């Protein structure tokens, strides 16, 4: 096992973010097979005594598909309405499948405003900690119905980093439909190779991400790098890996060299 990966084996409090392209089919309907595997793996981690948080996307796409609209909604108010429809559907599915493994889940919807406001921030921390104490798995999404920020500029990659910082997680895992950070876009460049380890998110790494493309959801690789930067600056390691691999969480936590590991950034001084 690579030496740097040893820290992953000890991670106790883990945030796992899964994007729309991993959770849904191209039809906009839920990819139940993939969700079942993900839920089973998270339930298994919870059974091992780990504290897990799922940051889920997919509300807008699923809501859009439920009302039978074709294509992505364009206006902000349409996106917000689709999120309001889809969020309930998402939670219904998570509640059902986690329930099959006797896991209790809780819905937490946050906006950037909650993170920025000291009092709301502390309330959120208290809620997470109370849920952990009850052995409940929090399922987080942006509160899209009121947050124009995310829909216009933001993404759940950043949300997942903020959640990881909020609960002082030991690890943030961002699951995407790509194996990790590549040296070039692997879809157009056959010489592209996976970068297994990033010790410092330099400008060079940032540039790599903007040219390397990413998943089909809101955030590409560059939003993942921004999220990784925020988390690693807060001393939280981040792994970006492929959510299409059913064994991915187990492999990451076993310290296997999968995905890209971003190490906590070196402390000043
Ligand atoms: N919060 C959005 C949703 O649930 C997704 C945002 C993202 O994919 O980053 O549909």
């Amino acid at each position: 096992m690579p030496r740097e990966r040893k820290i992953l084996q000890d991670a106790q409090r883990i945030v796992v973010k899964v994007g729309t392209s991993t959770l849904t089919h191209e039809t906009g309907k839920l990819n139940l097979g993939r969700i079942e595997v993900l839920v089973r793996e998270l339930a298994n981690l919870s059974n091992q005594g780990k504290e897990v948080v799922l940051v889920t996307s997919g509300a807008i796409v699923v809501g859009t598909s439920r009302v039978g609209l074709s294509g992505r909604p364009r206006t902000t108010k349409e996106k917000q309405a689709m999120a309001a429809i889809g969020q309930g559907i998402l939670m219904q599915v998570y509640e059902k499948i986690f329930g099959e493994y006797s896991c209790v889940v809780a819905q937490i919807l946050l906006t950037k405003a909650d993170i920025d406001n000291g009092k709301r921030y502390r309330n959120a921390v208290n809620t997470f900690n109370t849920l952990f104490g009850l052995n409940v798995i929090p399922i987080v999404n942006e509160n899209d119905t009121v947050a124009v920020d995310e829909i216009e500029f933001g993404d759940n990659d950043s949300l997942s980093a903020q959640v990881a910082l909020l609960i002082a997680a030991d690890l943030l895992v961002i699951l995407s439909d790509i194996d990790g950070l590549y040296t070039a876009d692997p879809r157009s460049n056959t010489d592209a190779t996976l970068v297994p380890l990033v010790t410092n998110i330099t400008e060079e790494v940032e540039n790599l991400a903007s040219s390397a493309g990413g998943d089909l959801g809101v955030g590409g690789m560059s939003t993942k790098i921004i999220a990784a930067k925020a988390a690693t600056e807060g001393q939280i390691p981040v792994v970006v890996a492929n959510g299409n691999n059913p064994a991915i969480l187990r492999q990451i936590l076993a310290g296997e060299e999968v995905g890209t590991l971003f190490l906590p950034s070196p402390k000043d001084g």
Side-chain angles (χ1 to χ4, degrees):
M1 180 198 315
R3 190 170 36 91
E4 300 81 7
R5 297 255 172 177
K6 285 221 167 71
I7 46 169
L8 304 181
Q9 287 186 308
D10 299 328
Q12 174 66 13
R13 193 172 270 199
I14 304 160
V15 176
V16 178
K17 183 263 172 179
V18 190
T20 301
S21 54
T22 306
L23 296 169
T24 60
H25 293 289
E26 274 175 18
T27 55
K29 297 220 163 98
L30 289 171
N31 187 332
L32 294 170
R34 209 169 274 155
I35 293 174
E36 282 191 3
V37 170
L38 171 74
V39 168
R40 193 188 60 218
E41 293 301 314
L42 292 173
N44 201 28
L45 291 177
S46 169
N47 286 352
Q48 288 165 39
K50 297 194 187 277
E51 294 168 327
V52 291
V53 174
L54 172 62
V55 176
T56 185
S57 301
I60 296 174
V61 169
V62 169
T64 307
S65 141
R66 174 57 67 94
V67 290
L69 288 184
S70 58
R72 263 184 90 80
R74 269 187 291 273
T75 63
T76 298
K77 62 184 181 195
E78 269 178 345
K79 287 176 195 166
Q80 295 184 318
M82 294 311 125
I85 297 163
Q87 180 65 26
I89 301 169
L90 271 183
M91 283 311 294
Q92 183 197 19
V93 169
Y94 286 128
E95 165 69 34
K96 178 176 183 292
I97 307 178
F98 273 109
E100 286 171 11
Y101 296 105
S102 306
C103 289
V104 182
V105 297
Q107 170 180 267
I108 296 194
L109 299 177
L110 293 170
T111 64
K112 195 167 176 297
D114 301 319
I115 306 278
D116 292 345
N117 175 301
K119 198 167 169 201
R120 280 149 77 168
Y121 184 94
R122 282 192 298 280
N123 283 334
V125 171
N126 290 341
T127 304
F128 274 106
N129 285 333
T130 307
L131 291 170
F132 290 138
L134 293 167
N135 210 10
V136 172
I137 299 178
I139 301 182
V140 183
N141 197 355
E142 172 100 11
N143 193 354
D144 290 315
T145 303
V146 295
V148 287
D149 270 0
E150 171 185 329
I151 289 170
E152 298 294 339
F153 318 103
D155 56 86
N156 274 13
D157 295 322
S158 312
L159 172 66
S160 68
Q162 292 307 323
V163 168
L165 292 166
L166 185 110
I167 62 165
D170 301 315
L171 172 64
L172 167 62
V173 177
I174 298 180
L175 296 179
S176 179
D177 59 1
I178 189 162
D179 286 341
L181 178 68
Y182 276 86
T183 52
D185 189 339
R187 281 170 274 213
S188 54
N189 191 331
T190 47
D191 293 337
T193 54
L194 184 70
V195 180
L197 180 70
V198 174
T199 47
N200 203 356
I201 302 176
T202 56
E203 212 171 297
E204 195 193 338
V205 172
E206 285 169 342
N207 292 340
L208 216 54
S210 55
S211 64
D215 65 17
L216 304 168
V218 176
M221 189 50 72
S222 56
T223 59
K224 289 170 183 50
I225 299 296
I226 294 169
K229 198 165 183 187
T232 54
E233 278 174 1
Q235 300 305 306
I236 301 171
V238 178
V239 176
V240 175
N242 199 327
N244 302 349
N245 168 0
I248 195 71
L249 284 175
R250 241 177 298 161
Q251 292 176 337
I252 291 170
L253 293 170
E256 287 179 31
E257 196 167 65
V258 285
T260 302
L261 167 63
F262 299 82
L263 288 180
S265 53
K267 290 197 189 105
D268 293 336

